[in-house]
Amino acid sequence: MIIDVHTHIGHDEVFDELFTVDQQLSNHEQFGIDISIVQPAACHFLDKVKKQHDHIAELSVKYPGKFYGMANPNPHLPEDQYRRELERCVKELGFIGVKIHTAAHAVNPMGEDAKKVYEAAKELGIPVMLHTGAGIPWANPSLVIPVALAYPEVKFVLAHTGMMVSSAEVPVILQLCPNVYTDITWSGGFMFAHWIPQFGHRFMFGSDQPSNAGTELAKVRTSGIEPEAQEYILHKTALQVYDRILVGRA
């Protein structure tokens, strides 16, 4: 089984990209991806992100068990609007996680607007993914340390494992915070191959951009990682972090 824990559909207003359903379906067919956890492309306003959330929900209904949603409203929205949309995504649309794009939305992971995301995620019982890597200062992985320590019952996922530029902070976080995991997009295979013996199976496959799926799969398969560890990266750890997938497949 292969689970892509980080991929997008929709028009990205920040990076001027368009991610399509056809790209996702092609990845499933070409690379044998079984499940994709899909989040909106970056957009700032409530009406636009709601349309993208609805599109993802329609995809999950059309292809049951193949696609699951991850919400990504702008945390700078008024709290009542943010909370309503996130609850709608989880309770009505069946989404299984929430994203904070620290760079695209300029969100301080330790700030008040981020705190409302953690509080909602805690109550809703969903993991929180945070963009890390490119995007100084808010994308520094180490900023997640006090947050993960303050919310030990919430699972946190460091998108991109620091994206090379700040990956040296990641082992410190994994050492201090047992509730932190990573997706390995845009990171070096040698890093997680080195970290697995020390930190265990806390790393997950993702594509980020649909066109990157093949490259990321090749990285997992050519990094000298034992077959059992590859299985954890490709699906077993994701099923532990996003356990609602198992509930949906029961």
Side-chain angles (χ1 to χ4, degrees):
M1 179 184 287
I2 300 174
I3 300 177
D4 185 342
V5 302
H6 182 167
T7 190
H8 297 270
I9 286 179
H11 174 245
D12 193 305
E13 296 181 332
V14 176
F15 299 101
D16 289 328
E17 296 279 357
L18 177 63
F19 307 114
T20 69
V21 172
D22 287 343
Q23 289 174 312
Q24 297 295 339
L25 294 174
S26 176
N27 282 347
H28 279 230
E29 180 177 355
Q30 183 177 359
F31 300 116
I33 294 173
D34 297 282
I35 296 171
S36 294
I37 303 177
V38 184
Q39 56 186 270
C43 53
H44 299 295
F45 301 107
L46 182 60
D47 59 338
K48 292 185 178 180
V49 79
K50 287 181 72 172
K51 289 179 181 178
Q52 293 201 38
H53 287 156
D54 288 342
H55 189 197
I56 292 168
E58 291 167 3
L59 183 65
S60 68
V61 171
K62 187 173 182 179
Y63 300 96
K66 293 288 188 180
F67 296 96
Y68 293 83
M70 179 182 294
N72 188 15
N74 187 339
H76 296 308
L77 289 167
E79 185 166 0
D80 60 334
Q81 293 182 19
Y82 182 92
R83 185 60 174 261
R84 237 184 349 257
E85 178 58 11
L86 183 55
E87 289 186 353
R88 183 181 80 93
C89 286
V90 174
K91 295 181 179 180
E92 298 179 23
L93 304 183
F95 282 25
I96 61 174
V98 62
K99 169 80 170 287
I100 297 178
H101 202 309
T102 54
H105 289 143
V107 181
N108 176 1
M110 299 184 297
E112 287 300 312
D113 281 343
K115 183 177 178 181
K116 69 191 179 192
V117 183
Y118 312 139
E119 291 288 344
K122 176 182 174 181
E123 292 182 24
L124 293 167
I126 56 173
V128 178
M129 176 181 282
L130 297 99
H131 169 89
T132 67
I136 295 171
W138 306 133
N140 289 342
S142 56
L143 298 182
V144 180
I145 293 174
V147 173
L149 293 174
Y151 293 89
E153 58 279 275
V154 176
K155 296 171 184 173
F156 292 90
V157 178
L158 306 179
H160 317 307
T161 317
M163 200 181 277
M164 298 298 291
V165 67
S166 52
S167 60
E169 297 180 2
V170 173
V172 179
I173 302 169
L174 297 178
Q175 181 69 41
L176 293 173
C177 308
N179 55 327
V180 171
Y181 302 79
T182 86
D183 84 51
I184 61 173
T185 53
W186 310 112
S187 63
F190 67 92
M191 295 188 306
F192 55 86
H194 178 69
W195 292 334
I196 287 171
Q198 184 178 0
F199 301 111
H201 302 298
R202 295 161 70 181
F203 309 93
M204 297 180 286
F205 165 77
S207 62
D208 189 16
Q209 295 192 9
S211 61
N212 189 44
T215 301
E216 293 292 338
L217 276 174
K219 181 173 71 179
V220 174
R221 290 168 173 161
T222 61
S223 296
I225 301 168
E226 294 294 328
E228 181 183 6
Q230 290 190 32
E231 288 186 8
Y232 275 93
I233 291 171
L234 293 176
H235 74 273
K236 287 185 176 181
T237 300
L239 291 176
Q240 294 171 1
V241 175
Y242 297 99
D243 51 9
R244 294 189 179 205
I245 293 176
L246 289 173
V247 173
R249 295 167 72 89

